[in-house]
Amino acid sequence: MSGRSHAKAPGATQPDRSVTTAGARRAAAHRSAKNRYAKKRNEMQLNVSLAGRSYPPTEPYEVSREHIRIFAESLHDDNPIYRDPAAARAAGYRDVLASPTFLTVLSERAERAQVAADTELGLDYSQTVHGFQRFVHLRPVHPGDVLNLEAHIDDVRITGGIGLVTVSCRVFCNSTEHVATMYCTMVERPAGVPLS
């Protein structure tokens, strides 16, 4: 026996155990959230074998000056070539033209009505956001164009508990002239699990 005394010196303070307790509670809550996350991840029903699936052409959509104007206004884009035929002609176009992202009007319809509605895919559209979008234009879209598109699933993956569905949509005028292709990645998170 050393004979040392473990008595506290007068005025010595006890360690603040409330900090340690609070830290332990946070760590336990974090472990619980990770366990719930892993469970949600394992419950995802996204069918990765559907990469390569194509869908039939959508119904024709006739573009009008009003459609183009309303879309430009929704973006707060006051470029006159989207509203004024004279300004568009002065810029070298035959009429007003649709802004570069106008075709999302068509792609979102196809994503919702065809891809997300495909029960074999198992995508929960209520838990889905766009993670990436790209447009490749072969020519401008003008009033009078009658457009339809063909959607194709390029890739389906689950990574880190997040579902990723990459879709390409080829846009045709009068069902024959290829005018653009859009690419987007739909990001699905398990219900109740934040994206960050």
Side-chain angles (χ1 to χ4, degrees), residues 72-142:
E73 284 182 355
S74 74
L75 300 178
H76 305 287
D77 191 333
D78 58 2
N79 191 327
I81 65 173
Y82 304 140
R83 295 176 175 79
D84 181 358
R89 283 192 290 271
Y93 301 102
R94 63 177 168 84
D95 199 342
V96 297
L97 65 149
S99 63
T101 58
F102 174 82
L103 293 173
T104 55
V105 171
L106 295 177
S107 66
E108 287 181 1
R109 289 180 180 186
E111 289 165 17
R112 184 185 297 268
Q114 292 183 320
V115 179
D118 188 338
T119 55
E120 288 185 58
L121 180 60
L123 181 73
D124 182 354
Y125 198 68
S126 69
Q127 290 295 118
T128 302
V129 296
H130 278 105
F132 166 84
Q133 190 141 24
R134 181 166 68 97
F135 300 80
V136 178
H137 292 274
L138 303 180
R139 71 153 173 87
V141 170
H142 293 288

Side-chain angles (χ1 to χ4, degrees), residues 103-184:
L103 293 173
T104 55
V105 171
L106 295 177
S107 66
E108 287 181 1
R109 289 180 180 186
E111 289 165 17
R112 184 185 297 268
Q114 292 183 320
V115 179
D118 188 338
T119 55
E120 288 185 58
L121 180 60
L123 181 73
D124 182 354
Y125 198 68
S126 69
Q127 290 295 118
T128 302
V129 296
H130 278 105
F132 166 84
Q133 190 141 24
R134 181 166 68 97
F135 300 80
V136 178
H137 292 274
L138 303 180
R139 71 153 173 87
V141 170
H142 293 288
D145 285 343
V146 179
L147 306 177
N148 68 304
L149 63 80
E150 297 175 3
H152 178 268
I153 298 179
D154 296 341
D155 189 37
V156 182
R157 288 181 289 138
I158 299 174
T159 180
I162 302 296
L164 302 168
V165 180
T166 302
V167 178
S168 59
C169 295
R170 295 194 305 158
V171 181
F172 295 90
C173 183
N174 297 319
S175 300
T176 56
E177 182 191 2
H178 184 197
V179 299
T181 302
M182 294 171 286
Y183 303 88
C184 79

